[in-house]
Amino acid sequence: MKASASTGKGFVNSNANMFDSPQQGRQLLGHCSIYESFLQHPLVIKALHSNHRTMLVIGDPTFSIRILYSCCRDQHCVRPWVAPFLSLHVDVRFGFGNPKKGGEWKMPGKEGSSLVEAKVPLLDSNDSRDGEEDLTRRVWVESKKLWHIVGPAIFSRIASYSMLVITQAFAGHLGDLELAAISITNNVVVGFDFGLLLGMASALETLCGQAYGAKKYYMLGVYMQRSWIVLFICCIFLLPIYLFATPVLKLLGQTEELAELSGEVSMWMIPLHFAFAFQFPLNRFLQSQLKTAAIAWVSLLALLVHVFVSWLFVFKLQFGVIGTAATINFSWWVLTLGLFCYTVWGGCPITWTGFSVEAFSGLWDFVKLSAASGLMLCLENWYYRILILMTGNLENAEIAIDALSICMTINGLEMMIPLAFFAGTGVRVANELGAGNGKGAKFATMVSVLTSVIIGLFFWTLILILHDKFGYIFSDSKAVLDEVNKLSLLLAFTILLNSVQPVLSGVAVGSGWQSYVAYINLGCYYLIGVPLGFLMGWVFNQGVMGIWAGMIFGGTATQTFILSWITIRCDWDGEAEKARLHLTKWADPKRETN
C-alpha cells in the first residue's frame, strides 16, 4: 500500500468511530492502514505525536509532504495538507477498523465502500501562518545543528591561535632578535607548512562528513587512518623547509644573525610539524560526527598547559628562545594526544573500530583529493602573505607595514568566526549529501551563509564606527594611526567579503569540489588579484591602499561571485547522487555485504 501525490482530493470515512478523547483517537490512528503503510515507507523521515494530532514527515527527492491527522469528538476529520510553498495536492485513502474486535486493517477500495469524497483545498486562511511557523522551525533546527559545530570550532580556533600569540609574547620579553626569530618562524616556515597540511586534511571533511550522513560509520576511522598516512609522508617531504630554513631566509634577504637564529628555532619546531599530520585529521574526524565539545575541552586544556609551560620554561628555567619554541611543541602534542585518547578510549565507539589494513588501500585516490584540498586552501592562505610582501617593497614601507599588520591582526582574529563557519558548513553539507538529502544540503547552505553575513555586517559596522579608535590598541604613533584610519574602510569590506567566501568554500569542501575551486582560486587570486594590486599600487601610485584594494576587489570579490554563482545553480539532488556513488566507490565491499 502506498500513498500517492496526485490530484487534489482526499477521502474521509463517513462512518468513522466516535472518540471519547483525543488519546483514544490517536490510538486508533496508530492502527490506520495508511499510517502503517507510511511508517513502512522508505521515504518517511519521522512520526511526531501530540495530544491532538499525529504528524508524519515524508522526504522525497522532489518534494516533502506533511500529513496531519486531527481528532475531535463529534467526527473523525482526516485532513491532508502540504507545506504552503509547494504547489502540490495529496490523494490519500484511509481505512479504519476496530483493533479490539480483531478487525483487519486493509485499505478500502473506492467501489462498494462507505467512502465519501471530500474536496480538500490546498491552503486556507491558517495555512500561510502555519507555513511561516514551519519555515521558522526549520531555520531554528538547522541553526542549532550549525552552531553545535560552529560554537566549539570558534573557541578551539581561537585557543590554537592564542598559543602562537602567547609564544610570541613570551619571546618578546627575551629581546627584539628573539621576537623576530619566533615571528619569522611562525609566519614563514610554520605558516607555509600549516596551510598546506591543514588544506590536505580538509579532504576528510568531504569523506567523513558524507560517510557519517550515509551511516557508513566504520569508514570514518579508515578515512582518518588514510589521512594520517598521507600527511605523515607529506611531512617527511616537507622536512627540508625546516632543515634548510637558514639559507632560505638569507636568500630572501634576512640578516645573517636573524636567519641563523630563525633556522635554529625552526629545527626545534620539527615536532610541531609532525603533530599537524595527526591533529588535523583527528579534528576533522571528530568534527564530522558533531563531537565538537570534546575538541573544545581538549583545546582549553592545551591552552592552559601552554600558558603554564611557557611561564615555566621562559621565566623559571630560563631556557631562552629555544625553550619558547619547545613550549609550542609540548602544548600541540598535548592537544593531539588528548584528541587521540578521546577517540580510542571510548569517545567514538561506532566510528573507531581500531587500526585497519584497509587504510593502505585506495591511497592514490586519497592523495589526489588531499592534494586538491591542500592547493585550494594554500592559495587562499598565501594570498594575504603576498600582500604583506608587496607592501614591504613600497617607499616608507615601515609605517605601511605597521598599519597593515594592525589591520591584518584584527582581520585574523575576526576570521576565526568565518573559518568556523567554513568548518560547520562543510560538515552540514557533507552530512546531508551523504544522507541523500540534496534539498537539506541546500537549506543548510542558505542558513549558514545568512548567519555568517549577519555577523559580518555587525563587524563591518563596528569597524566603520571605530575606524579612528581601534588602532590605539596596538600603537601610539600618529603616523601609524593615520594610516590605519585610511585602511579601515578596506578592512571593513575585507571582513564583509570574508563572511561569505569561507562559507562558500565550506560548501565546496562538503560537496567535494576542491579541485574546481583550486583552479578558481588560482585564476582569481594570482591572475587577477595580484596583477591588479601591483597595477594599483605602483602604476597608479596608490600605495598600500591600492595594493590591498586591487587584491580584495579584484581577487576575493571575483572568487566570491563565481562561488556564489556555482552554488546558486547547483543541482543538489545530483550532488547527493554523486555522494552516494562516491561512497560506494570508497567503501569496502566486504563490509558492505555483511
Side-chain angles (χ1 to χ4, degrees):
M1 294 176 291
K2 294 184 180 180
S4 62
S6 58
T7 59
K9 296 180 180 181
F11 293 88
V12 180
N13 192 338
S14 62
N15 295 327
N17 293 332
M18 302 270 292
F19 300 140
D20 293 331
S21 67
Q23 288 76 16
Q24 182 182 353
R26 189 176 73 246
Q27 183 179 8
L28 182 59
L29 287 173
H31 294 86
C32 293
S33 58
I34 186 66
Y35 183 83
E36 291 180 338
S37 67
F38 268 133
L39 286 182
Q40 296 170 3
H41 198 281
L43 295 180
V44 170
I45 298 173
K46 58 185 174 182
L48 305 175
H49 302 283
S50 65
N51 290 334
H52 297 278
R53 64 188 184 184
T54 300
M55 182 176 72
L56 294 175
V57 181
I58 304 162
D60 183 85
T62 56
F63 59 89
S64 296
I65 309 174
R66 297 196 314 174
I67 305 299
L68 187 66
Y69 301 93
S70 300
C71 308
C72 54
R73 172 151 181 94
D74 57 341
Q75 62 178 341
H76 179 207
C77 306
V78 182
R79 166 102 193 281
W81 70 261
V82 298
F85 50 84
L86 300 171
S87 300
L88 297 169
H89 292 269
V90 185
D91 179 12
V92 188
R93 298 183 181 183
F94 295 87
F96 301 96
N98 192 335
K100 295 182 180 179
K101 296 181 181 181
E104 290 187 14
W105 308 107
K106 295 182 179 179
M107 184 74 71
K110 186 174 182 181
E111 295 78 18
S113 69
S114 58
L115 291 178
V116 178
E117 183 174 331
K119 294 183 178 180
V120 182
L122 179 62
L123 296 174
D124 62 14
S125 59
N126 294 323
D127 283 341
S128 60
R129 183 169 61 253
D130 291 340
E132 292 174 1
E133 292 176 356
D134 180 63
L135 180 59
T136 302
R137 183 188 62 82
R138 289 181 63 203
V139 171
W140 174 248
V141 171
E142 180 59 40
S143 296
K144 287 197 296 183
K145 292 179 181 179
L146 180 64
W147 279 101
H148 183 73
I149 306 169
V150 170
I154 292 174
F155 178 81
S156 60
R157 287 175 183 274
I158 291 177
S160 300
Y161 188 83
S162 298
M163 289 185 195
L164 298 176
V165 174
I166 290 170
T167 300
Q168 290 188 224
F170 275 94
H173 289 283
L174 299 174
D176 293 338
L177 181 62
E178 288 79 2
L179 175 60
I182 290 289
S183 298
I184 288 178
T185 304
N186 281 337
N187 289 293
V188 179
V189 181
V190 177
F192 176 87
D193 179 44
F194 182 93
L196 181 60
L197 294 176
L198 180 64
M200 294 184 69
S202 71
L204 282 183
E205 292 183 274
T206 303
L207 299 173
C208 287
Q210 292 182 0
Y212 188 78
K215 303 185 187 307
K216 298 181 183 292
Y217 300 124
Y218 71 94
M219 287 304 299
L220 273 74
V222 175
Y223 287 150
M224 180 173 66
Q225 292 172 58
R226 287 177 185 169
S227 186
W228 281 344
I229 295 170
V230 171
L231 265 66
F232 182 79
I233 295 173
C234 184
C235 282
I236 294 176
F237 284 110
L238 290 174
L239 264 180
I241 298 175
Y242 289 82
L243 298 176
F244 302 104
T246 296
V248 171
L249 291 174
K250 288 180 180 179
L251 187 64
L252 292 175
Q254 300 298 326
T255 63
E256 184 173 350
E257 187 179 15
L258 180 58
E260 290 288 345
L261 186 57
S262 298
E264 187 177 359
V265 170
S266 297
M267 295 284 287
W268 278 89
M269 286 196 173
I270 289 177
L272 172 67
H273 169 64
F274 282 98
F276 291 156
F278 296 97
Q279 192 269 334
F280 291 157
L282 278 165
N283 191 291
R284 268 68 190 158
F285 168 79
L286 294 172
Q287 192 172 261
S288 65
Q289 48 191 307
L290 310 182
K291 296 185 180 294
T292 50
I295 299 174
W297 281 111
V298 175
S299 298
L300 176 61
L301 174 64
L303 179 61
L304 295 176
V305 168
H306 183 70
V307 173
F308 172 74
V309 173
S310 296
W311 170 81
L312 180 67
F313 281 19
V314 176
F315 289 141
K316 284 295 182 181
L317 301 179
Q318 297 183 353
F319 285 161
V321 70
I322 300 304
T324 307
T327 60
I328 195 71
N329 294 328
F330 190 88
S331 305
W332 210 275
W333 273 102
V334 167
L335 176 61
T336 303
L337 293 176
L339 295 178
F340 178 77
C341 291
Y342 173 83
T343 299
V344 175
W345 292 340
C348 305
I350 300 177
T351 54
W352 175 262
T353 57
F355 294 97
S356 173
V357 294
E358 295 176 38
F360 292 93
S361 64
L363 283 179
W364 178 240
D365 288 333
F366 200 95
V367 168
K368 290 190 290 185
L369 181 59
S370 297
S373 300
L375 183 61
M376 169 187 156
L377 292 187
C378 271
L379 291 174
E380 295 180 10
N381 186 42
W382 298 337
Y383 189 54
Y384 291 102
R385 300 182 188 277
I386 291 176
L387 171 61
I388 297 176
L389 290 175
M390 291 175 67
T391 303
N393 292 315
L394 293 171
E395 295 182 5
N396 300 321
E398 183 177 351
I399 294 176
I401 290 178
D402 288 344
L404 186 62
S405 298
I406 291 173
C407 292
M408 287 295 103
T409 299
I410 294 174
N411 183 59
L413 286 171
E414 196 277 335
M415 270 293 288
M416 297 299 107
I417 299 175
L419 288 177
F421 274 92
F422 164 83
T425 306
V427 171
R428 288 294 303 128
V429 169
N431 286 167
E432 295 294 341
L433 291 179
N437 187 8
K439 284 185 169 51
K442 179 181 179 180
F443 190 74
T445 299
M446 294 168 61
V447 172
S448 185
V449 170
L450 181 61
T451 306
S452 185
V453 167
I454 291 173
I455 295 174
L457 284 171
F458 170 77
F459 284 102
W460 177 77
T461 305
L462 195 64
I463 292 296
L464 292 180
I465 293 174
L466 303 176
H467 64 92
D468 57 345
K469 297 179 177 63
F470 66 83
Y472 285 100
I473 301 174
F474 304 93
S475 177
D476 294 324
S477 170
K478 187 178 185 305
V480 173
L481 293 174
D482 289 341
E483 191 69 21
V484 170
N485 187 24
K486 293 178 183 177
L487 295 175
S488 61
L489 182 63
L490 289 174
L491 174 62
F493 279 100
T494 300
I495 289 174
L496 187 60
L497 282 173
N498 284 338
S499 68
V500 180
Q501 184 268 332
V503 179
L504 297 177
S505 294
V507 175
V509 168
S511 305
W513 303 340
Q514 288 95 325
S515 58
Y516 301 112
V517 178
Y519 287 115
I520 293 172
N521 289 351
L522 179 63
C524 293
Y525 289 152
Y526 298 96
L527 299 182
I528 299 176
V530 172
L532 186 58
F534 179 85
L535 186 70
M536 295 288 291
W538 277 276
V539 177
F540 292 100
N541 296 319
Q542 296 299 310
V544 64
M545 287 193 67
I547 298 174
W548 194 356
M551 295 180 70
I552 289 299
F553 296 111
T556 306
T558 303
Q559 187 236 26
T560 303
F561 174 78
I562 294 175
L563 289 182
S564 300
W565 180 256
I566 292 174
T567 303
I568 291 171
R569 295 181 59 84
C570 175
D571 177 9
W572 291 102
D573 293 328
E575 291 299 324
E577 178 63 18
K578 289 179 183 178
R580 184 188 68 80
L581 296 174
H582 195 259
L583 288 169
T584 303
K585 173 185 175 182
W586 286 64
D588 179 25
K590 297 180 181 179
R591 301 288 291 269
E592 289 294 310
T593 56
N594 291 336

